[in-house]
Amino acid sequence: MSEMSGNEPVKAQESGDSAEKKPQKVGRKRDHTRDEKILEAAIDILAESSFDGMTMDKVATRAKAGKATMYRRWSSKEQLVRDALAWMNRSHLDLEHLPDSGSLREDLLLLIRPQSIAEEERKLRVLAGLGSFLQHPEFADTGMAGIFDSWADANLQLMKRAAARGEIAEHANLELACWVITSTSAFRGLVERKPFEKTFYADLLDGLVLPALKNPKADSPIAES
Amino acid sequence: MSEMSGNEPVKAQESGDSAEKKPQKVGRKRDHTRDEKILEAAIDILAESSFDGMTMDKVATRAKAGKATMYRRWSSKEQLVRDALAWMNRSHLDLEHLPDSGSLREDLLLLIRPQSIAEEERKLRVLAGLGSFLQHPEFADTGMAGIFDSWADANLQLMKRAAARGEIAEHANLELACWVITSTSAFRGLVERKPFEKTFYADLLDGLVLPALKNPKADSPIAES
DNA sequence: TAGTTTCGGAACTTTACAGTTCCGTAATTA
DNA sequence: TAATTACGGAACTGTAAAGTTCCGAAACTA
């Protein structure tokens, strides 16, 4: 969405008082197609190693860029990684063209495309290697938001339609179900380091999520011991 | 369990051929109570920062130990961290004294004790900061195994008893249910960095796990598209 | 007591990396 | 054409941390 933020050279110049806002610059223009190459290289190396394993020299070499070029655009490694994470999470599922097979189970499974699996697994590898970087609370959101939200949103739409047509109980906790799907899938890739397989996903749906959605009898009160 | 492994000095001495295995050594004995202090300090700092934020100097200072002492016992930072992780995961729930209230929901909730919550959250902080270290597949197991296994095992016992007394369906996928509990809880602390709260756990049980266990009608075949 | 190994602590060496500067070249404007 | 800015690339600086070595003191054995 917003794209970038800590860019542009230091640009700390106030030409006196009568600043007439004339940014008509002289000299060779900055090639902004290099931005993408550098961000892509950064994500690539983050996915292969980790935040600490990603050195600025590696990124520069991978992107065939000079370090001066990088530091002309980002003032630090932290800034570069922050923008690279935003860049990584730029793609979103198209909520306008969701599957509609008439079966919630089929819809949920149809959402899983091999291409998107590989993409999400790459994001998980990046996330796994972020380590100490995520300790900055400001980056915890930047790094996380957008990785799973898109998938969870799509799943929620599918569930709401299923509820509307009476396939699942209307008082089921759909948000919880979506969160369980994304968090368990993330845990599997992030911590267990297993690939996302459709058989695993089908087991999760058949063994837990769909039964709960179809029969969510809340027979237990909220007892706080 | 096994405890330690990469210890002892290099000890590469073969006294000629007639090695009569006489380990009767001379000199001051190694104080193995220092091991625990050092491992504890390492885990402490791992929990506060990360693998890369944990420096050998910090550990030495925290444990009031000399670095020479540390390198006499562990040949590298990697070795120290490996043993520290094993040390961290040494405690296990007592499977012999599980709660037995007659209600699975109550039993599962009774297993959550404030003391064990704090302990597990500390482990999660350590795990979150491991980052690049976990990329070594050999450490992925060391680091992970034992953090959640104990809790999952206890939950499985409780579920099996509930199944035996007919509280839940006997053909329910208990292992899957236990795995979902641990993986979602871990995700919450590890990625979302939220504290473990009983209300969250009760919602997970009431909204998804228990309904699924009580009504696991497998109405959908395994279709591989 | 003499010799050996440990201890905590500090100084030291080495390596790796973030960030800076400079080079020759290419692009842009006046 | 001349001045300016960007480019890739390489050299350079400063710092942080892993690992080593040495110190004086303590603990153990013969």
Side-chain angles (χ1 to χ4, degrees):
Chain A
M1 290 294 145
S2 59
E3 187 73 26
M4 303 305 116
S5 49
N7 269 15
E8 304 312 307
V10 184
K11 69 153 53 174
Q13 89 273 25
E14 312 172 39
S15 52
D17 295 14
S18 59
E20 286 199 354
K21 282 287 188 69
K22 280 188 177 178
Q24 61 182 59
K25 298 165 191 170
V26 71
R28 180 171 174 173
K29 283 171 184 164
R30 192 172 290 183
D31 178 6
H32 278 279
T33 66
R34 308 303 296 131
D35 288 354
E36 300 188 7
K37 298 284 287 186
I38 294 169
L39 293 172
E40 198 69 49
I43 292 297
D44 243 38
I45 295 172
L46 281 176
E48 292 171 7
S49 52
S50 63
F51 178 77
D52 298 278
M54 184 202 98
T55 69
M56 297 300 265
D57 284 276
K58 281 186 194 170
V59 175
T61 303
R62 180 82 56 106
K64 293 197 199 311
K67 286 212 289 179
T69 301
M70 294 168 59
Y71 279 100
R72 215 174 280 123
R73 295 154 197 243
W74 296 280
S75 60
S76 71
K77 177 180 174 181
E78 270 80 11
Q79 296 284 313
L80 170 61
V81 171
R82 184 169 53 70
D83 280 356
L85 292 177
W87 166 262
M88 177 182 78
N89 293 331
R90 97 204 89 95
S91 75
H92 290 301
L93 277 177
D94 185 2
L95 288 179
E96 304 303 318
H97 298 85
L98 296 176
D100 194 0
S101 66
S103 153
L104 174 58
R105 182 181 190 275
E106 286 311 307
D107 285 352
L108 292 173
L109 283 170
L110 283 170
L111 216 52
I112 310 300
R113 305 246 54 88
Q115 206 270 330
S116 63
I117 289 182
E119 212 172 288
E120 296 301 315
E121 286 182 338
R122 183 164 176 260
K123 292 181 183 177
L124 284 179
R125 283 196 297 276
V126 170
L127 184 61
L130 247 33
S132 59
F133 186 72
L134 276 200
Q135 303 232 341
H136 303 265
E138 56 156 332
F139 298 135
D141 301 329
T142 308
M144 278 309 310
I147 294 191
F148 310 109
D149 291 357
S150 176
W151 187 28
D153 288 347
N155 284 340
L156 186 59
Q157 296 301 321
L158 299 179
M159 290 183 188
K160 279 181 175 172
R161 289 203 310 224
R165 67 177 177 257
E167 187 179 351
I168 59 180
E170 78 271 35
H171 61 287
N173 192 337
L174 305 187
E175 284 81 7
L176 176 64
C178 292
W179 178 80
V180 164
I181 288 175
T182 53
S183 62
T184 53
S185 299
F187 181 86
R188 181 181 162 95
L190 200 58
V191 179
E192 299 184 334
R193 313 226 165 215
K194 294 179 184 170
F196 187 92
E197 292 156 333
K198 260 191 175 174
T199 56
F200 147 76
Y201 188 47
D203 286 347
L204 175 64
L205 294 180
D206 296 330
L208 214 93
V209 176
L210 292 175
L213 290 177
K214 292 181 179 182
N215 196 329
K217 51 178 171 183
D219 52 6
S220 303
I222 305 172
E224 189 72 12
S225 60
Chain B
M1 289 290 148
S2 59
E3 187 73 27
M4 303 306 114
S5 51
N7 269 18
E8 305 311 308
V10 185
K11 70 152 52 176
Q13 89 274 27
E14 314 171 38
S15 51
D17 296 14
S18 58
E20 284 199 355
K21 283 289 186 69
K22 278 187 179 178
Q24 62 182 57
K25 297 166 190 168
V26 73
R28 181 172 174 173
K29 282 171 186 165
R30 193 171 289 183
D31 178 6
H32 277 279
T33 66
R34 309 301 298 131
D35 288 354
E36 301 187 7
K37 298 284 289 186
I38 294 169
L39 293 171
E40 198 69 50
I43 292 296
D44 245 37
I45 296 172
L46 281 175
E48 292 171 7
S49 52
S50 63
F51 177 77
D52 299 277
M54 184 203 97
T55 70
M56 297 301 264
D57 284 275
K58 280 186 193 169
V59 175
T61 302
R62 180 82 56 106
K64 294 196 198 311
K67 285 210 291 179
T69 301
M70 293 169 59
Y71 279 100
R72 215 174 279 122
R73 294 155 198 241
W74 296 280
S75 61
S76 71
K77 178 181 173 180
E78 271 79 11
Q79 296 283 313
L80 169 61
V81 170
R82 185 168 55 68
D83 281 357
L85 292 177
W87 165 262
M88 177 183 77
N89 293 331
R90 96 202 92 93
S91 73
H92 289 302
L93 278 176
D94 185 2
L95 288 179
E96 304 305 317
H97 299 85
L98 295 177
D100 194 359
S101 66
S103 155
L104 174 58
R105 183 181 189 275
E106 287 310 308
D107 284 352
L108 292 174
L109 283 170
L110 284 170
L111 216 52
I112 310 299
R113 304 246 55 86
Q115 205 270 331
S116 63
I117 289 181
E119 212 171 287
E120 295 302 314
E121 285 182 339
R122 182 165 177 260
K123 291 181 184 178
L124 283 179
R125 282 195 300 274
V126 170
L127 184 62
L130 246 34
S132 59
F133 186 70
L134 277 200
Q135 303 232 340
H136 303 265
E138 55 156 332
F139 298 135
D141 301 330
T142 308
M144 279 310 310
I147 294 190
F148 311 109
D149 291 357
S150 176
W151 187 28
D153 288 347
N155 284 340
L156 187 59
Q157 296 300 319
L158 299 179
M159 289 183 189
K160 280 181 176 173
R161 289 204 309 225
R165 66 176 177 257
E167 187 179 352
I168 59 179
E170 78 270 35
H171 62 287
N173 192 337
L174 305 186
E175 285 80 7
L176 176 64
C178 292
W179 178 81
V180 164
I181 288 176
T182 52
S183 62
T184 53
S185 300
F187 181 86
R188 182 181 161 94
L190 200 58
V191 179
E192 299 184 335
R193 313 224 166 216
K194 294 178 184 172
F196 187 92
E197 292 157 334
K198 262 191 175 174
T199 55
F200 147 76
Y201 188 46
D203 286 347
L204 175 65
L205 294 179
D206 296 331
L208 214 94
V209 176
L210 292 175
L213 290 177
K214 292 181 179 182
N215 196 328
K217 51 178 172 183
D219 52 6
S220 304
I222 305 171
E224 189 72 11
S225 60

